[in-house]
Amino acid sequence: NEDGKFIDVYRPPFCNISKINRLTSIRHPFWESYCHEFERLKVSTWDFGELPQYLEIGSVDQLFPLPAMRALNCEQDSINIRVFLSFEAANISHSKGIISLLEQSLVKELAWKIRQLELPDEVVQRFRRIVDKEEVYSIATNLFTQSVLALPKYIPQDEISFSKYREKALEKINELPLKLINLFSEVSEEFEKCTTQIEKIKRRNRTAVLYKHIIQDIEGELDEYMNKFFSSDGLTLFSFQLPRYLKALWWRIETGYVNPGRYIKCVKKMNTYWKQYKNLQSLLLKQNCPDKKELGDLSGMIEELAISLFAQQKVKTLYSISEEKIQDRIELLKQRASQGLYFNLLSDGQEEDLFS
């Protein structure tokens, strides 16, 4: 309170975004002098021991010191060590701080490899009806950077684990250019196959109303795939799986032509889950949720279901998938979203401990 006496701090196991914002941006003046003692500005290398670090701040004669967490924090172009009065906020801030610290230490290496990233002309040409050459390279650069800086399962907490994280990133810097060239080549190839197949069906069935509806549906799906791929959201998991999704879409086109009844039945199933996905997306957007992982996992599950429905024998799913598993995940996300909770889920539905 205003006299500096510790009354109570309530920390639920999950913290909603408004609470995180409040606890990170507002700190009572009484605690400032105690916090500053543990803070540090403009960090450039990991030379500060283990982080996050649990603290108890307050005066020597204070009966109940205030629990706090020391963690990395990005502020404009500076990486600092700050004291947080919210453990949830400290965890989120620390994860972002580690990525910024790694990026800062790899500026020269990233810039050098990005300059060497050359996509074949035929690959760029296949995308010409969607985006120009500059945008293709912009997305390739973004995917390269996001993949290099992707956090490992266990977040670095000390100099040794951060050094291993950096070494792994350096390996990626050397391996990724070739992988990206292959990725863009595969995507452009599969995209061209799908558009060619669509045109063939259009020519064969100019007057069939049913086929017109099917073609419109498939064209909408194809456009959505390519818009996601050429967005600036850093959707690395989606992007590297896109060749598989496009192969499955080709077989989906074939199913629509050969067996329109089965096609319509399967698409109705898919639309049921995509509708629930979009409702969840809207709900999380209202909460200003900073982490899209939980939605990305659900989206991936729905895509795998599409593969199992239209192309299981040709493409194969990454893991066992069923409508029951998707519905269970949706119900779990609905439950947490309705309570205004910030959550981060792994693919098996378990809560992720960022600092285990």
Side-chain angles (χ1 to χ4, degrees):
N1 63 15
E2 290 183 358
D3 299 325
K5 292 181 180 178
F6 177 77
I7 300 173
D8 185 30
V9 176
Y10 170 65
R11 290 187 181 84
F14 296 94
C15 188
N16 66 25
I17 302 310
S18 61
K19 182 171 286 188
I20 287 175
N21 290 339
R22 188 175 78 250
L23 291 173
T24 52
S25 59
I26 299 173
R27 205 161 59 188
H28 193 278
F30 174 82
W31 299 108
E32 284 299 312
S33 58
Y34 298 109
C35 291
H36 287 328
E37 179 186 346
F38 300 99
E39 294 183 332
R40 179 175 159 186
L41 301 177
K42 296 185 178 178
V43 170
S44 57
T45 57
W46 197 300
D47 56 0
F48 38 75
E50 288 190 10
L51 282 184
Q53 179 187 12
Y54 175 77
L55 301 171
E56 289 184 348
I57 58 175
S59 60
V60 177
D61 58 348
Q62 190 173 325
L63 183 60
F64 296 107
L66 184 67
M69 187 77 84
R70 190 168 174 253
L72 290 174
N73 179 243
C74 299
E75 299 172 41
Q76 297 176 346
D77 296 330
S78 175
I79 304 169
N80 308 314
I81 297 175
R82 294 291 190 191
V83 173
F84 292 82
L85 305 186
S86 158
F87 294 171
E88 294 80 20
N91 289 347
I92 294 169
S93 177
H94 187 69
S95 298
K96 293 179 179 178
I98 284 178
I99 293 173
S100 297
L101 189 63
L102 178 66
E103 187 173 14
Q104 183 176 282
S105 72
L106 295 175
V107 168
K108 291 181 181 177
E109 291 86 348
L110 283 168
W112 174 250
K113 279 295 180 182
I114 285 170
R115 282 198 296 269
Q116 292 182 323
L117 191 60
E118 287 290 336
L119 298 173
D121 288 338
E122 64 270 19
V123 170
V124 178
Q125 284 300 313
R126 285 174 187 151
F127 294 128
R128 63 188 180 277
R129 81 173 181 87
I130 308 174
V131 290
D132 57 29
K133 185 176 181 180
E134 287 72 22
E135 286 178 286
V136 172
Y137 274 94
S138 174
I139 297 304
T141 300
N142 184 53
L143 273 174
F144 177 75
T145 306
Q146 295 285 338
S147 300
V148 168
L149 302 177
L151 281 170
K153 182 178 179 181
Y154 298 105
I155 309 295
Q157 301 179 53
D158 53 33
E159 187 177 1
I160 294 173
S161 56
F162 181 76
S163 296
K164 288 179 180 178
Y165 172 41
R166 191 177 186 279
E167 286 170 13
K168 189 70 178 175
L170 283 169
E171 288 177 16
K172 288 181 183 178
I173 285 176
N174 293 321
E175 297 169 357
L176 270 171
L178 181 58
K179 286 184 179 179
L180 281 176
I181 290 169
N182 291 336
L183 171 67
F184 275 75
S185 297
E186 282 186 68
V187 170
S188 66
E189 242 177 80
E190 298 301 330
F191 171 70
E192 193 170 53
K193 284 180 184 176
C194 287
T195 52
T196 303
Q197 186 74 346
I198 289 170
E199 290 304 318
K200 281 182 181 177
I201 295 177
K202 280 182 177 178
R203 287 195 296 270
R204 290 174 190 167
N205 302 280
R206 292 179 185 275
T207 59
V209 176
L210 177 61
Y211 285 109
K212 283 183 180 179
H213 286 300
I214 289 174
I215 290 300
Q216 284 175 2
D217 178 65
I218 291 170
E219 285 180 328
E221 192 75 16
L222 184 59
D223 287 343
E224 192 170 337
Y225 276 149
M226 301 316 293
N227 287 336
K228 271 189 184 179
F229 185 69
F230 287 110
S231 71
S232 57
D233 291 337
L235 298 166
T236 51
L237 290 176
F238 168 84
S239 300
F240 283 102
Q241 293 302 323
L242 184 56
R244 294 176 62 251
Y245 298 161
L246 288 174
K247 284 175 184 175
L249 186 64
W250 189 94
W251 286 103
R252 180 169 164 175
I253 297 167
E254 190 71 8
T255 302
Y257 178 67
V258 175
N259 191 344
R262 181 174 179 274
Y263 175 92
I264 292 169
K265 185 179 177 182
C266 292
V267 167
K268 280 182 178 178
K269 284 184 184 178
M270 301 297 304
N271 289 343
T272 300
Y273 299 118
W274 282 122
K275 185 178 179 180
Q276 293 182 77
Y277 170 86
K278 287 175 182 176
N279 290 339
L280 272 170
Q281 195 175 38
S282 301
L283 188 56
L284 292 175
L285 190 62
K286 288 176 184 176
Q287 294 181 10
N288 192 27
C289 181
D291 191 349
K292 298 178 181 177
K293 185 183 186 304
E294 61 277 352
L295 283 175
D297 286 349
L298 177 58
S299 174
M301 291 175 76
I302 300 172
E303 293 292 357
E304 293 302 318
L305 180 64
I307 291 173
S308 72
L309 291 173
F310 292 106
Q312 176 64 6
Q313 300 303 317
K314 306 294 180 181
V315 181
K316 305 292 184 186
T317 55
L318 290 177
Y319 45 80
S320 174
I321 190 69
S322 67
E323 293 178 55
E324 290 76 18
K325 287 182 180 179
I326 294 175
Q327 196 58 52
D328 287 346
R329 174 55 64 90
I330 288 172
E331 293 305 321
L332 179 62
L333 295 183
K334 276 182 182 177
Q335 182 185 354
R336 297 197 172 186
S338 65
Q339 295 170 3
L341 301 176
Y342 172 76
F343 49 86
N344 191 352
L345 302 177
L346 291 173
S347 57
D348 60 0
Q350 299 298 313
E351 290 136 20
E352 181 176 13
D353 181 0
L354 293 178
F355 300 105
S356 59

